[in-house]
């Protein structure tokens, strides 16, 4: 007589890191598909930075003194790094509004019922926003070339440095989307997330070296502008693009802008990703 025994094979638990990575890609794919089905999201995201390029280039181009020159060409070359940086940071509002909308519609509750990493929902959303930001920057660069922007206008550069500048821009944009994620989790409606995502960005972008030389500011305001993380990215891009920059400064971020931009971005990601994931867990507990 023989006994028949049934054995149940149990799968080994998945590696938490690899599972989080896969889940993040799934969520990112979901958001990218959603963007293709709502093309006006991408189109409206492109219109605003293009308007900034055209308006600032032609309205202020002949009245700003950059490096002793008031020519429109000099200001356009000075301006574009600031416009690029402003564009990637303004993606913060869209990230916050998107997450707030998912919370408002109950989509986050559906994700909770799935066996997936908690942080993957936010990581996937921010990765999808990064892809949209990259597309916006690409189109913006084409428009900038059409209005007269040129790399290497005031120094040596090469393709590697130009790509590094765009890489820094995307890293900065990705860092700021985590701020938007925290805002989106902290408010009740997408409208509030949009307002909350923009209201603090205006002083950050305008109290900087993005649109004017900081030497024209009062000393205390110049000090704030030179230590502004946004200014570090702008100055780093001008250095890598070979475009004219602000006047020499003793402030460490302005003397070492590439390193300063990298450090600022990493610190922002670490801090605000931690806070956003913690907020997400408490909000969906």
């Amino acid at each position: 007589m023989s006994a028949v025994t049934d054995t149940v094979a149990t799968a080994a638990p998945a590696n938490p890191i690899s599972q989080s990575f896969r889940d993040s890609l799934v969520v990112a794919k979901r958001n990218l598909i959603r963007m293709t089905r709502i093309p006006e999201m991408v189109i409206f995201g492109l219109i605003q930075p293009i308007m900034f390029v055209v308006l600032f280039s032609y309205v202020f181009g002949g009245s700003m003194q950059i490096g002793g020159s008031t020519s429109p060409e000099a200001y356009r070359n000075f301006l574009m790094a600031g416009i690029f940086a402003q564009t990637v940071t303004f993606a913060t509002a869209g990230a916050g509004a998107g997450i707030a909308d998912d919370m408002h519609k109950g989509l986050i509750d559906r994700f909770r019922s799935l066996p997936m990493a908690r942080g993957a929902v936010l990581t996937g959303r921010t990765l999808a926003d990064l892809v949209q930001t990259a597309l916006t920057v690409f189109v913006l660069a084409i428009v900038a070339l059409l209005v007269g922007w040129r790399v290497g206008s005031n120094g040596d550069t090469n393709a590697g440095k130009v790509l590094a500048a765009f890489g820094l821009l995307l890293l900065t944009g990705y860092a700021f989307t985590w701020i938007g994620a925290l805002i989106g989790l902290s408010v009740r409606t997408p409208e509030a997330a949009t307002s909350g995502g923009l209201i603090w960005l205006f002083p950050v972008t305008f109290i900087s070296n993005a649109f004017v030389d900081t030497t024209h500011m009062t000393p205390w305001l110049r000090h704030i502008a030179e230590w502004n993380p946004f200014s570090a990215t702008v100055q780093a891009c001008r250095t890598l693009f070979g475009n004219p920059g602000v006047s020499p400064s003793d402030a460490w971020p302005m003397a070492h802008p590439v390193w300063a931009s990298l450090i600022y971005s990493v610190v922002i990601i670490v801090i605000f990703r931690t806070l956003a994931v913690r907020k997400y867990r408490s909000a969906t507990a």
Side-chain angles (χ1 to χ4, degrees), residues 140-205:
L140 188 59
I142 295 176
V143 174
L145 291 171
L146 292 176
V147 300
W149 172 62
R150 296 294 181 269
V151 298
S153 60
N154 197 40
D156 295 330
T157 191
N158 53 50
K161 289 183 179 180
V162 172
L163 291 177
F166 284 116
L168 276 179
L169 287 167
L170 294 179
L171 179 62
T172 300
Y174 183 69
F176 273 68
T177 56
W178 280 107
I179 302 177
L182 181 60
I183 293 173
L185 291 168
S186 303
V187 298
R188 297 182 180 180
T189 64
E191 293 79 9
T194 301
S195 300
L198 288 175
I199 193 170
W200 62 273
L201 277 174
F202 282 102
V204 167
T205 54

Side-chain angles (χ1 to χ4, degrees), residues 37-258:
R37 293 175 178 174
I38 312 177
E40 55 266 27
M41 292 174 58
V42 180
I43 294 173
F44 291 152
L46 291 172
I47 292 176
Q48 179 177 318
I50 291 174
M51 288 177 59
F52 272 115
V53 172
V54 176
L55 291 175
F56 274 82
S57 297
Y58 292 102
V59 174
F60 299 109
S63 58
M64 294 290 187
Q65 185 173 352
I66 304 298
S69 173
T70 57
S71 68
E73 293 78 12
Y75 184 66
R76 275 196 290 269
N77 291 324
F78 172 87
L79 171 71
M80 281 315 304
I83 294 292
F84 283 133
Q86 183 191 53
T87 299
V88 299
T89 53
F90 270 40
T92 301
I99 291 174
D101 187 52
D102 288 343
M103 291 282 290
H104 184 68
K105 292 180 178 178
L107 184 63
I108 299 299
D109 292 331
R110 300 177 193 173
F111 283 133
R112 284 182 59 201
S113 65
L114 300 175
M116 62 187 301
R118 289 291 181 92
V121 175
L122 300 180
T123 302
R125 175 75 206 196
T126 55
L127 288 175
D129 290 329
L130 180 63
V131 174
Q132 183 178 359
T133 300
L135 174 62
T136 303
V137 170
F138 175 75
V139 174
L140 188 59
I142 295 176
V143 174
L145 291 171
L146 292 176
V147 300
W149 172 62
R150 296 294 181 269
V151 298
S153 60
N154 197 40
D156 295 330
T157 191
N158 53 50
K161 289 183 179 180
V162 172
L163 291 177
F166 284 116
L168 276 179
L169 287 167
L170 294 179
L171 179 62
T172 300
Y174 183 69
F176 273 68
T177 56
W178 280 107
I179 302 177
L182 181 60
I183 293 173
L185 291 168
S186 303
V187 298
R188 297 182 180 180
T189 64
E191 293 79 9
T194 301
S195 300
L198 288 175
I199 193 170
W200 62 273
L201 277 174
F202 282 102
V204 167
T205 54
F206 282 92
I207 304 177
S208 71
N209 60 357
F211 308 112
V212 297
D213 191 333
T214 55
T215 56
H216 301 304
M217 298 179 180
T218 58
W220 66 270
L221 194 61
R222 178 183 181 183
H223 184 74
I224 294 175
E226 290 176 340
W227 284 89
N228 183 349
F230 180 81
S231 294
T233 297
V234 174
Q235 183 71 358
C237 290
R238 289 192 181 121
T239 300
L240 294 171
F241 285 146
N243 289 153
V246 297
S247 302
S249 170
D250 294 332
W252 188 84
M254 296 296 97
H256 308 87
V258 176

